């Protein structure tokens, strides 16, 4: 809860949905949660949140981000302080980068910004198209190394008529304990 975690998977693996679901569950437990978003609009997340929590929407602060995280750091840190935020969701890493994700310097700058903003975080990332893409997030090895835990997400069903999603979550790194099943 106090450290950066990376959730990675292919496009369409419901990573953003899962991040929003986890944000809602944390908010229900009394944590103050924020979603910092480079991908969708706030209305899209609100619609998803209503579908996930139809019986009562949890409070999640939303902030749209347009620039790389290293340039948004002061604004986001101010939001975290003003709203006393405990946990943050960053969606998504590639769009928050200030350069190529393959660069160690870019990964290092990203994690420095995350630490400056404060709080624990879920950082949503993508996979590469290379072999063993399900082992580490796309880009520099420092995306995997900089996180305290990494999880690979894979969509298990793709029936467009289904109202449920089945996901496989695979713990690839755990610095603060054993790998989780």
């Amino acid at each position: 809860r106090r450290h950066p975690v990376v959730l990675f998977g292919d496009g369409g693996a419901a990573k953003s949905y899962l991040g929003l679901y986890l944000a809602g569950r944390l908010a229900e437990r009394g944590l103050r949660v924020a979603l910092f978003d480079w991908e969708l609009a706030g209305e899209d997340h609100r619609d998803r949140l209503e579908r996930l929590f139809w019986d009562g929407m949890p409070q999640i602060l939303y902030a749209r981000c347009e620039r790389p995280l290293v340039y948004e750091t002061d604004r986001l840190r101010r939001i975290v302080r003003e709203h006393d935020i405990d946990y943050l969701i960053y969606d998504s890493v590639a769009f928050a980068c200030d350069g190529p994700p393959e660069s160690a310097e870019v990964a290092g700058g990203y994690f420095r910004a995350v630490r400056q903003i404060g709080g624990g975080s879920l950082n949503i990332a993508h996979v590469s198209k290379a072999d063993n893409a399900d082992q580490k997030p796309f880009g520099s090895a420092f995306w995997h190394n900089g996180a305290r835990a990494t999880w690979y997400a894979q969509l298990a069903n793709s029936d467009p008529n289904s109202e449920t999603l089945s996901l496989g979550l695979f713990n690839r790194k755990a610095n603060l304990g054993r790998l989780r099943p």
Side-chain angles (χ1 to χ4, degrees):
R1 209 171 82 172
R2 298 183 321 265
H3 303 285
V5 172
V6 171
L7 172 68
F8 67 102
D10 206 358
K15 299 177 302 293
S16 296
Y17 245 118
L18 179 59
L20 195 57
Y21 175 77
L22 294 172
R25 289 294 178 218
L26 290 171
E28 287 178 338
R29 289 182 172 189
L31 275 75
R32 288 169 300 280
V33 182
L35 171 62
F36 296 154
D37 182 39
W38 282 260
E39 286 195 333
L40 294 174
E43 301 82 39
D44 299 315
H45 286 297
R46 181 173 177 78
D47 179 56
R48 288 177 165 192
L49 197 59
E50 286 175 348
R51 282 187 261 152
L52 288 167
F53 298 94
W54 52 270
D55 58 342
M57 287 202 338
Q59 178 110 16
I60 299 171
L61 180 73
Y62 175 84
R64 176 73 179 151
C65 299
E66 301 289 342
R67 301 177 304 148
L69 181 60
V70 296
Y71 301 116
E72 294 272 13
T73 303
D74 290 338
R75 178 177 77 99
L76 299 179
R77 184 174 44 214
R78 209 170 20 259
I79 290 170
V80 166
R81 265 187 295 193
E82 286 173 9
H83 297 276
D84 201 21
I85 300 296
D86 300 304
Y87 199 83
L88 305 114
I89 311 289
Y90 294 93
D91 192 8
S92 97
V93 166
F95 297 114
C97 286
D98 67 334
E102 303 87 348
S103 164
E105 292 80 18
V106 169
Y110 178 93
F111 281 114
R112 280 190 299 279
V114 166
R115 279 193 307 277
Q116 288 173 13
I117 293 167
S121 63
L122 178 68
N123 302 268
I124 299 173
H126 294 87
V127 296
S128 74
K129 298 300 178 193
D131 291 337
N132 296 323
D134 64 339
Q135 298 301 307
K136 294 182 180 179
F138 174 74
S140 166
F142 287 98
W143 294 110
H144 182 72
N145 297 343
R148 300 301 86 200
T150 62
W151 288 82
Y152 172 67
Q154 183 175 17
L155 191 61
N157 75 338
S158 59
D159 180 2
N161 298 318
S162 177
E163 291 186 15
T164 61
L165 292 173
S166 296
L167 298 174
L169 296 173
F170 306 92
N171 190 197
R172 299 299 191 216
K173 176 184 176 183
N175 281 111
L176 302 173
R178 294 185 289 183
L179 288 176
R180 310 271 308 196

